[in-house]
Amino acid sequence: MTKGQFAGYKLINHKLFSYKLVSNYLVRDNIYFAGIIWLFTRLLIWVGMLLLAPNLPMTDESVFNAWDSVHYRAIATEGYEFYPDGKQHNLAFFPMFPITIWVFMKIGLPFEIAGLLINNLSFLGAVYLLYFWVKKHCGLRIAQWTTIVICCCPMSMFTGVIYTEGLYLLFSIGCLRAFDEEKYSLTAFWGAMATATRPTGMALIPALLLTAWRQRRGKIAYFTSLLTATGLILFSIYCAINFHDPLAFIAAQKGWRPSLGFDWQGWLNMLMQIILGRNWNFGWVWNDDGGIRDPWYPVFFGFMVYGTVTLWWRQKYWHPFMTYLVYTTLAVLLILVDQRVINNLLNVLMVVGGSYLVWHFRRKLTPVMVIYSLCGVGLLLASGGTISLSRLAYGIVPLSIAIGAWLSRFPRQAYLVVGLFVVLLFRLAIGFAQHHWVG
């Protein structure tokens, strides 16, 4: 054996050893697994925000408090405001998260600390609820990959800042899990909290009703499904008292999403920006000189697609060096691509890709998982606009479960996907700290 062959032999065996080591760990039922993945992503987000972002330009002093966080601060400190003038008002944000922050502030915590504690600790609870729920109904391996997906997904960055993601995931997962286990009092409690936290919580009501009908459950299941609307009803009563309109929170949504219905034009623009670059806008592909606006972007995009597909299907035939080279190139391209294109790509992958995987693995998932995901995605598509679709879809937890089921079938290629997730998660954390729009 030559020296070069011996080096290649060692590299391949090292790769196989590493793969077996990780695979063996993934098949163990370790109660600390979910907590370790949660902690890893928290450290990744905080390192990007607190250590790297302050050394880059355009960084504000408050790295965790941007975009929607500003509205939650206003609600927690000054209350709601709304005028039916079609402008953006904070009544569009549901009350559970700012109320919880207000309670923590009353015991002496500043707004930033209260918001971060609530979101991060709620997400930790959501991760453990999800892990044991999926493990019971779908198996240990899918549960572990689902935990990795929901923690490492780029949109999990919003569970580390002052947003509602962690709290809503805790309430919605608790509601769905309790309904699966026919614990109806817990279903009503978790569901009421969820419908008071985010508009997408409204999808729980028809999802539970349809599941109860499909599984032919008793009257208590239907009654409990209706009780989950308690949070929404209480918010409506508040709007009626203070703004003389029980549906004022829906009217306030018009400032953020002017029209209802499927925004086909926005989706077309989003898809073309993914393929041709951010300068494409409804057919204006060419510039005044007759040349394409961003000629290198389609080349980069084609290479990314080719490299990803080839690496996915032929990874076991490649020399390890080529695998690492392609992976590194894809990671670098993801860092260089414009943030708007990244947001559009995440929108399509979460909504379209996640919905397809839910339907593909519908026999592995419980009925309430499938029905809730379809109701949630339907609500997002009918809401009008494409802003923040990936973040809102991330809150529909069966989409992450379906992605976890998919990755569990291809563990070697799954490491590539998770690696790219981590790169994007780190990038989004830095962008948010700089107050850039990241979805």
Side-chain angles (χ1 to χ4, degrees):
M1 180 181 294
T2 66
K3 186 176 181 180
Q5 289 174 332
F6 178 71
Y9 177 79
K10 284 180 63 179
L11 183 61
I12 293 173
N13 275 274
H14 174 71
K15 180 187 177 184
L16 291 175
F17 174 75
S18 301
Y19 167 72
K20 290 179 180 179
L21 187 65
V22 176
S23 297
N24 289 337
Y25 182 75
L26 283 174
V27 297
R28 295 177 184 173
D29 185 9
N30 192 330
I31 194 173
Y32 301 109
F33 178 84
I36 291 172
I37 302 298
W38 172 86
L39 181 60
F40 166 73
T41 55
R42 301 308 93 183
L43 293 175
L44 185 71
I45 293 170
W46 296 334
V47 165
M49 288 186 162
L50 298 176
L51 297 183
L52 186 56
N55 297 315
L56 299 174
M58 299 178 62
T59 301
D60 198 283
E61 291 182 0
S62 180
V63 297
F64 296 104
N65 185 15
W67 301 107
D68 291 0
S69 307
V70 177
H71 299 288
Y72 293 126
R73 177 192 286 274
I75 296 169
T77 57
E78 303 172 9
Y80 279 109
E81 53 86 19
F82 173 68
Y83 302 97
D85 53 8
K87 297 182 180 180
Q88 294 181 343
H89 297 283
N90 62 22
L91 190 64
F93 297 88
F94 278 36
M96 196 65 222
F97 184 55
I99 287 176
T100 311
I101 292 177
W102 178 82
V103 171
F104 274 65
M105 291 175 67
K106 285 298 181 181
I107 62 176
L109 292 179
F111 170 79
E112 288 81 4
I113 300 298
L116 289 174
L117 280 176
I118 293 167
N119 198 15
N120 283 276
L121 294 181
S122 296
F123 183 59
L124 176 61
V127 168
Y128 268 102
L129 278 178
L130 177 65
Y131 176 79
F132 290 113
W133 179 37
V134 177
K135 174 188 168 185
K136 178 178 180 180
H137 294 281
C138 306
L140 175 62
R141 197 174 188 86
I142 294 179
Q144 290 177 328
W145 278 109
T146 299
T147 301
I148 294 173
V149 168
I150 202 166
C151 289
C152 296
C153 175
M155 309 319 296
S156 72
M157 187 278 300
F158 291 99
T159 64
V161 294
I162 308 174
Y163 266 60
T164 63
E165 264 62 26
L167 198 65
Y168 179 72
L169 284 170
L170 175 66
F171 293 152
S172 61
I173 293 171
C175 176
L176 295 169
R177 179 184 177 184
F179 192 79
D180 251 343
E181 298 173 355
E182 300 186 13
K183 297 177 180 178
Y184 294 120
S185 58
L186 284 176
T187 300
F189 170 77
W190 290 117
M193 295 297 102
T195 56
T197 304
R198 291 182 68 171
T200 48
M202 292 186 288
L204 287 168
I205 304 168
L208 298 184
L209 287 171
L210 289 171
T211 304
W213 170 77
R214 186 180 184 279
Q215 295 183 322
R216 298 183 179 180
R217 299 196 186 187
K219 294 180 181 179
I220 183 64
Y222 291 95
F223 181 66
T224 302
S225 302
L226 295 175
L227 281 180
T228 59
T230 303
L232 185 66
I233 293 172
L234 291 176
F235 190 34
S236 180
I237 293 173
Y238 169 85
C239 291
I241 295 173
N242 289 274
F243 303 106
H244 310 291
D245 181 3
L247 300 180
F249 63 93
I250 296 179
Q253 300 290 334
K254 294 180 180 179
W256 306 88
R257 296 176 182 269
S259 61
L260 297 177
F262 180 69
D263 184 12
W264 67 267
Q265 197 173 36
W267 272 90
L268 174 62
N269 188 42
M270 185 168 59
L271 292 172
M272 296 307 296
Q273 283 186 1
I274 292 173
I275 299 172
L276 296 176
R278 68 182 181 87
N279 289 321
W280 191 92
N281 189 18
F282 300 115
W284 295 100
V285 181
W286 307 98
N287 58 29
D288 296 334
D289 298 327
I292 196 166
R293 288 177 179 265
D294 193 356
W296 282 108
Y297 178 83
V299 177
F300 288 150
F301 178 78
F303 180 80
M304 289 176 65
V305 173
Y306 173 77
T308 302
V309 172
T310 304
L311 187 60
W312 182 272
W313 292 111
R314 300 188 61 83
Q315 185 180 15
K316 65 180 180 179
Y317 302 112
W318 285 28
H319 190 281
F321 174 77
M322 290 299 298
T323 300
Y324 299 142
L325 177 63
V326 173
Y327 168 74
T328 303
T329 304
L330 290 173
V332 170
L333 289 177
L334 283 176
I335 294 173
L336 296 177
V337 169
D338 183 79
Q339 184 62 56
R340 189 189 305 175
V341 176
I342 293 294
N343 295 341
N344 291 337
L345 184 62
L346 290 173
N347 286 343
V348 174
L349 291 178
M350 287 299 297
V351 176
V352 179
S355 300
Y356 166 76
L357 290 176
V358 166
W359 184 252
H360 182 76
F361 290 105
R362 62 189 182 278
R363 300 188 186 281
K364 286 185 174 292
L365 308 181
T366 65
V368 74
M369 293 179 187
V370 177
I371 295 175
Y372 169 61
S373 63
L374 296 179
C375 291
V377 171
L379 180 63
L380 293 184
L381 295 178
S383 64
T386 58
I387 299 176
S388 300
L389 277 181
S390 59
R391 180 171 63 85
L392 296 173
Y394 172 75
I396 304 173
V397 72
L399 301 180
S400 296
I401 299 174
I403 296 173
W406 176 55
L407 294 182
S408 69
R409 296 182 59 182
F410 308 98
R412 286 178 180 269
Q413 293 89 339
Y415 300 141
L416 167 66
V417 175
V418 173
L420 296 178
F421 274 5
V422 169
V423 171
L424 287 176
L425 174 61
F426 192 65
R427 172 177 172 165
L428 263 61
I430 296 173
F432 186 90
Q434 295 179 284
H435 289 203
H436 295 167
W437 178 255
V438 293

